[in-house]
């Protein structure tokens, strides 16, 4: 059992190391790339979606910030046993997820947020697979367990509604280009 924990922690370190290397490569490339004029906003997010996205993004951002800054306290809000390093790693991941969801509110455009909306299904599916594999270690009947289920379901619902909205705007865009 101890070997599995060490192997899992080493996996986290390896993954985070790869992400750091990727960030170190991407940031200079982004800084050296000349930006053109901002793409105009063409399809604002529907008003009914904004409160749900704000709650979803804030929940991920909040738990992520807590796990990163005070992992000893906030680790109790994770529905399985975790150590400091894993809690902080989960915090970074949840913080980035929350910032991405809240960033879609700042963009307020379906076309600009298309990649993020399409990736929510994969993110929710990956989380579901991991949670299913590790189901014996998760305290499902706890408050944090229920919260996690709701937050993952929120990602799935946001991705599904985003896909439907994108499909609807693609049809509208084709109709206007045919008539224009």
């Amino acid at each position: 059992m101890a070997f599995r924990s060490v192997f899992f922690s080493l996996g986290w370190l390896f993954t985070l190391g790869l992400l750091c290397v990727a960030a170190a490569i991407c940031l200079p490339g982004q800084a050296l790339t000349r930006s053109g004029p901002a793409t105009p906003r063409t399809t604002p997010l529907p008003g009914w979606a904004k409160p749900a996205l704000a709650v979803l993004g804030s929940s991920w951002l909040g738990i992520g910030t807590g796990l990163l800054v005070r992992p000893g306290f906030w680790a109790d809000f994770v529905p399985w046993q975790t150590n400091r390093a894993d809690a902080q790693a989960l915090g970074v991941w949840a913080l980035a997820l929350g910032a991405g969801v809240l960033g879609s509110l700042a963009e307020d455009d379906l076309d600009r947020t298309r990649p993020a909306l399409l990736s929510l299904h994969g993110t929710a599916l990956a989380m579901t697979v991991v949670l299913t594999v590790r189901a014996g270690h998760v305290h499902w009947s706890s408050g944090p367990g229920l919260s996690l289920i709701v937050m993952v379901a929120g990602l799935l619902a946001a991705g599904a509604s985003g896909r439907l909205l994108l499909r609807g705007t693609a049809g509208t865009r084709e109709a206007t280009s045919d008539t224009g």
Side-chain angles (χ1 to χ4, degrees):
M1 186 70 161
F3 175 75
R4 290 171 73 189
S5 295
V6 169
F7 186 68
F8 187 72
S9 294
L10 289 175
W12 268 114
L13 289 174
F14 179 74
T15 302
L16 292 174
L18 285 177
L19 292 173
C20 289
V21 170
I25 292 169
C26 291
L27 284 175
Q30 186 178 4
L32 297 173
T33 302
R34 295 185 56 140
S35 64
T39 308
R41 287 181 170 85
T42 56
T43 313
L45 295 172
W48 59 264
K50 292 177 183 180
L53 285 174
V55 169
L56 182 64
S58 297
S59 63
W60 284 107
L61 186 77
I63 190 70
T65 303
L67 285 168
L68 183 61
V69 175
R70 294 212 34 212
F73 174 78
W74 285 88
D76 290 339
F77 292 93
V78 176
W80 59 85
Q81 200 66 22
T82 185
N83 61 28
R84 180 182 177 88
D86 287 342
Q88 286 183 315
L90 285 169
V92 169
W93 190 80
L95 183 84
L97 189 57
V101 171
L102 292 174
S104 69
L105 286 174
E107 285 296 327
D108 193 23
D109 187 63
L110 284 172
D111 287 333
R112 288 182 179 191
T113 59
R114 178 182 304 273
L117 285 171
L118 296 177
S119 70
L120 287 177
H121 288 97
T123 304
L125 179 62
M127 292 172 69
T128 302
V129 167
V130 170
L131 290 171
T132 302
V133 169
R134 305 289 291 178
H137 299 280
V138 180
H139 306 288
W140 295 109
S141 61
S142 67
L146 179 60
S147 297
L148 181 63
I149 292 168
V150 169
M151 289 166 61
V152 173
L155 290 176
L156 189 59
S161 63
R163 186 175 289 275
L164 289 173
L165 290 169
L166 286 169
R167 187 177 300 151
T169 60
T172 305
R173 202 174 316 119
E174 288 173 6
T176 56
S177 67
D178 288 343
T179 60

